[in-house]
Amino acid sequence: MRERTDRPTRPGRAGATDRHEPAGPDIAEPVLAIEDLTVTIGTRRGPARAVAGVDWSVRAGQTLALVGESGSGKSLTVLAATGLAPRTARVTGRVRLLGEELTALPEPRRRRLRGRHVGFVFQDPMTSLNPVLTVGRQVTEACEEHLGMTRRQARERAVELLDLVGIPSPRQRVDAYPHQFSGGMRQRVVIAMALSCEPDLLIADEPTTALDVTTQAQIVELIADLRRRLGTAVVWITHDLGVVAGVADTVAVMYGGRIVEQGPVDAVFDAPSHPYTRALLAARPGPGVRDGDLPAIQGSPPSPLDLPAGCAFWPRCPVRGDARCEHELPPLVPVAPGHRVRTFYPLSEDA
Amino acid sequence: MTRFVLRRLLQSVVVLLGVTLVVFLLLQLVPGDPVRVALGTRFDQQTYDALRERSGLDQPLVAQYASYVGHALTGDLGVSFRSGQPVTTIVLERLPATLSLAVTAVLLALLVAFPLGVLSAVRSGSALDHAARVFSQFGVSVPDFWMGIMGILLFAGVLGWLPPSGYVALTEDPAGWASHVLLPAGAVGLVTASILTRFIRSSVLEVLSEDYVRTAEAKGLRSRIVVVRHVLRNALIPVVTVVAVQLASLIGGVIVIEVLFAWPGVGRLTYDAVQARDYPVLQGAVLFVAALFLLMNLLVDVLYARLDPRIGVR
Ligand SMILES: Nc1ncnc2c1ncn2[C@@H]1O[C@H](COP(=O)(O)OP(=O)(O)OP(=O)(O)O)[C@@H](O)[C@H]1O
Ligand SMILES: [Mg+2]
């Protein structure tokens, strides 16, 4: 099913790389790499710097989890990286998708790259499908646009995809409308849609938040399974640290528009070095954590309109270092290979 | 689908019955004796009684109403007090003039409002958007008869391009009809265009902010395809209703414009019937307009069900 003779520069995708196996030498270029990404949104009350200086990358077959409270800039980071930020946003920094510098490309070229190589699964399946088009049409219209399929070929492909994501009797369902599906089934449709052009990157923005618990588990399993089978790189935005532990290779924790800690999942979970990460992990009541339910952390996250000069977490920080924390932005420093943390006072493992 | 249409037709009949009752009762409240008006100043008691009896006005109210409805069901809406002609014939004669004016006005309005509304939403904040907003503000604040007078002064008076008033049937002389319809349709259409521009703009804007539009953009579709396939289809569903309501209200309510342009339509007929206290004609005209209104509503519902798969009609 996956023939890729069209792109010789593709990173190797030797099936599934299990995250517990040591990764090979870093010869493969990341599927998506963002560097110093900053997003400023013009609002009525002035510019809001919603994302600042974010760096991360994700390789073929790997999963990067983006976590953080509501409003920390997770969605905006991936939207801005792929050219989907709101019109009022100003985006700076570098974004490389499959080796191409996206920020330098004219919009039509960027649009085609995005449609052809990136699949998106958004949070709410009840609103992310067009109510007046059949699901079959929506699942594969990108294939008509980017792969030159005819309507008939696209329809066949849609049946295949609906089958792949576990929708029963796909040949009948392909002509149904979104309102004829349940929430979980709709999210399967959205996933089928995201996979339609065999993307190199799948961006899942809280794909299970709007679903009930049983369905959540099914959808998580489905995406993880598809990633293993297709070798797609995945950026997974979630509040659910249980999911992070289960499916991600690397994790980036965001706070106030910046990354405060990032690294391999095991390293970060075993030895959280930022007070915020530690609080997040401590507040984990089990699967299905929703927005902002962090009883262990007093106070609320900063507004992007009014960010403190120093560490954004300082006002809520249980450690409360010193005046430097209040006035100076801590740099992102390594505490272990590949594990970086933005604080002047990294917590030691047994703190 | 057929069952749906039949059910709606039945509902329409009930509504129409209500309309006849209201019109019938309202007319009882109007002061003045229609028989007296019809006969003029010189008549004798015998003629008076004869006409009164012939019109059924000597019967009790309930009987009058029952007989009116009974006849109406067979298409007989009585005879005009003034001319003695059957009301149905009179109204049907006037219908083409009104319909052709209303339809032309709405078509002209759509010609302007559709591109203007869609473009100003897609490029909201642009110079075009601001221009569109000024246009629609102007259009809704200026009454249509003023627009008509200005039109006559400019195009008939100063420029001499179009006739100032009058009517030629479309079937007799299409070119003549067109030259006569342009001014009144333009005057009414401008107001309609402003209303529609506003409505289309806000409807498109609303759909543009829907999640599924972002989904479509994420697929890397060309923006023209996103707008046409994903935005318009959804945005136009509510617009259909507004267009139909505008059309229906024009059919029933271009009285001032029809009088101003000597346009022999149903509006003009209604106006004359009021002046002459020609109750049967007035009742008939109102009933016709109500029936057309209901028919339009039925068409809208059927169209809705075709446009929006969420509305089940079976
Ligand atoms: N279109 C917009 N206009 C103005 N501000 C915006 C817009 N989109 C996002 N923001 C702001 O940018 C910040 C980051 O938003 P973002 O959606 O990336 O948060 P998030 O981390 O994805 O949160 P959530 O978990 O709730 O999805 C928020 O403070 C939000 O208010
Ligand atoms: Mg989000």
Side-chain angles (χ1 to χ4, degrees):
Chain A
M1 183 170 111
R2 301 182 64 83
E3 282 164 339
R4 299 193 167 274
T5 45
D6 55 324
R7 252 177 300 108
T9 56
R10 289 295 329 296
R13 57 163 77 227
T17 359
D18 190 6
R19 73 181 170 85
H20 299 291
E21 280 170 30
D26 284 357
I27 31 163
E29 174 157 18
V31 175
L32 177 69
I34 68 179
E35 253 177 76
D36 197 21
L37 190 80
T38 297
V39 185
T40 312
I41 299 181
T43 70
R44 253 173 277 120
R45 295 189 294 134
R49 208 227 47 215
V51 174
V54 168
D55 292 326
W56 47 247
S57 63
V58 58
R59 294 174 192 288
Q62 294 220 308
T63 299
L64 164 77
L66 273 184
V67 300
E69 273 168 295
S70 194
S72 55
K74 305 178 298 292
S75 301
L76 208 52
T77 301
V78 294
L79 292 176
T82 49
L84 289 172
R87 283 199 303 180
T88 47
R90 208 172 65 84
V91 180
T92 61
R94 286 170 301 284
V95 177
R96 291 177 72 76
L97 176 67
L98 299 166
E100 289 218 54
E101 179 58 51
L102 279 194
T103 41
L105 292 178
E107 173 54 24
R109 177 95 185 97
R110 183 165 52 182
R111 172 174 68 68
R112 275 197 296 276
L113 272 177
R114 170 176 72 223
R116 171 65 190 82
H117 300 296
V118 186
F120 291 84
V121 179
F122 294 111
Q123 176 172 341
D124 190 352
M126 303 314 267
T127 57
S128 53
L129 288 170
N130 190 331
V132 303
L133 295 178
T134 63
V135 298
R137 186 101 177 87
Q138 294 187 65
V139 162
T140 47
E141 64 178 332
C143 303
E144 291 171 46
E145 176 80 18
H146 304 294
L147 305 180
M149 282 191 188
T150 63
R151 273 294 267 282
R152 178 171 306 183
Q153 289 170 324
R155 205 184 116 93
E156 278 310 301
R157 173 95 179 115
V159 173
E160 240 175 76
L161 284 160
L162 293 180
D163 192 38
L164 179 74
V165 297
I167 287 176
S169 43
R171 199 160 287 282
Q172 281 79 56
R173 305 296 272 160
V174 72
D175 293 322
Y177 289 92
H179 72 274
Q180 295 165 312
F181 289 77
S182 69
M185 283 296 153
R186 281 194 212 193
Q187 197 62 309
R188 285 171 192 266
V189 170
V190 174
I191 292 169
M193 186 164 75
L195 296 174
S196 67
C197 293
E198 303 187 351
D200 298 272
L201 174 66
L202 184 69
I203 292 178
D205 188 350
E206 301 186 35
T208 60
T209 311
L211 306 173
D212 65 74
V213 182
T214 346
T215 320
Q216 279 184 9
Q218 289 169 2
I219 295 292
V220 168
E221 188 42 50
L222 175 67
I223 296 178
D225 178 52
L226 291 170
R227 192 221 54 183
R228 271 194 299 275
R229 277 160 52 193
L230 307 176
T232 317
V234 179
V235 174
W236 197 312
I237 298 175
T238 181
H239 291 284
D240 191 335
L241 294 169
V243 169
V244 177
V247 304
D249 301 285
T250 54
V251 58
V253 182
M254 290 189 71
Y255 188 85
R258 290 185 195 274
I259 290 183
V260 293
E261 182 158 6
Q262 74 188 132
V265 169
D266 296 342
V268 172
F269 274 49
D270 290 348
S273 303
H274 194 284
Y276 178 64
T277 314
R278 180 157 296 199
L280 269 186
L281 286 168
R284 172 156 54 131
V289 188
R290 291 268 343 208
D291 293 13
D293 296 342
L294 295 171
I297 313 176
Q298 299 295 312
S300 52
S303 153
L305 281 161
D306 182 24
L307 289 165
C311 175
F313 191 55
W314 185 80
R316 297 167 78 189
C317 185
V319 177
R320 281 280 181 133
D322 50 27
R324 199 152 68 117
C325 294
E326 192 182 353
H327 300 294
E328 201 181 310
L329 180 72
L332 203 52
V333 293
V335 289
H339 184 181
R340 301 193 296 165
V341 58
R342 189 186 291 283
T343 174
F344 292 116
Y345 301 101
L347 303 165
S348 61
E349 211 164 316
D350 43 50
Chain B
M1 195 63 171
T2 358
R3 261 188 57 195
F4 168 75
V5 172
L6 282 178
R7 201 171 64 224
R8 293 303 314 264
L9 271 177
L10 205 71
Q11 283 170 3
S12 302
V13 170
V14 174
V15 174
L16 269 185
L17 219 59
V19 171
T20 57
L21 185 63
V22 170
V23 173
F24 188 84
L25 289 178
L26 271 181
L27 292 183
Q28 301 304 319
L29 300 177
V30 180
D33 182 345
V35 179
R36 194 161 281 206
V37 174
L39 290 175
T41 40
R42 287 192 293 138
F43 60 89
D44 52 37
Q45 191 61 34
Q46 211 171 1
T47 338
Y48 180 88
D49 288 340
L51 182 56
R52 208 174 136 77
E53 200 186 317
R54 191 147 53 84
S55 318
L57 289 175
D58 54 342
Q59 304 277 317
L61 269 187
V62 181
Q64 279 187 41
Y65 178 67
S67 116
Y68 182 74
V69 171
H71 284 105
L73 284 177
T74 64
D76 173 13
L77 295 174
V79 293
S80 162
F81 284 162
R82 230 172 20 153
S83 63
Q85 273 191 300
V87 170
T88 315
T89 318
I90 297 178
V91 178
L92 281 178
E93 247 171 41
R94 301 296 192 101
L95 217 50
T98 288
L99 280 179
S100 68
L101 175 59
V103 169
T104 311
V106 168
L107 285 182
L108 284 179
L110 274 176
L111 216 60
V112 175
F114 183 73
L116 202 57
V118 172
L119 282 177
S120 67
V122 172
R123 312 218 175 109
S124 77
S126 68
L128 180 89
D129 184 23
H130 290 298
R133 236 178 296 176
V134 171
F135 165 77
S136 55
Q137 190 55 50
F138 175 76
V140 292
S141 30
V142 174
D144 53 7
F145 67 84
W146 187 84
M147 217 76 96
I149 293 170
M150 290 300 127
I152 294 174
L153 289 179
L154 181 63
F155 292 103
V158 178
L159 298 170
W161 291 350
L162 296 168
S165 69
Y167 171 74
V168 177
L170 175 61
T171 43
E172 276 167 29
D173 173 9
W177 170 82
S179 72
H180 281 91
V181 82
L182 226 47
L183 274 182
V188 184
L190 208 61
V191 179
T192 310
S194 329
I195 298 170
L196 290 180
T197 303
R198 253 187 202 192
F199 194 83
I200 292 172
R201 178 182 182 273
S202 71
S203 181
V204 170
L205 265 185
E206 197 181 310
V207 173
L208 277 173
S209 68
E210 294 282 352
D211 280 358
Y212 55 78
V213 174
R214 185 187 54 190
T215 308
E217 278 166 357
K219 289 177 189 171
L221 303 177
R222 273 163 286 166
S223 52
R224 196 170 45 81
I225 293 188
V226 173
V227 170
V228 173
R229 190 184 297 160
H230 289 270
V231 177
L232 286 190
R233 183 101 189 262
N234 283 286
L236 292 186
I237 293 172
V239 172
V240 167
T241 318
V242 179
V243 170
V245 168
Q246 287 296 319
L247 185 59
S249 77
L250 289 191
I251 290 172
V254 278
I255 296 180
V256 180
I257 286 290
E258 286 192 355
V259 172
L260 179 66
F261 284 91
W263 194 265
V266 179
R268 181 67 205 257
L269 180 70
T270 313
Y271 175 81
D272 291 342
V274 170
Q275 292 261 301
R277 294 218 169 80
D278 198 343
Y279 290 174
V281 171
L282 186 54
Q283 269 175 334
V286 171
L287 207 60
F288 253 90
V289 169
L292 278 175
F293 212 99
L294 290 168
L295 189 69
M296 204 86 76
N297 263 312
L298 181 65
L299 286 179
V300 167
D301 286 343
V302 172
L303 203 59
Y304 244 78
R306 297 218 130 258
L307 286 175
D308 191 341
R310 284 165 298 186
I311 299 174
V313 292
R314 274 164 290 267

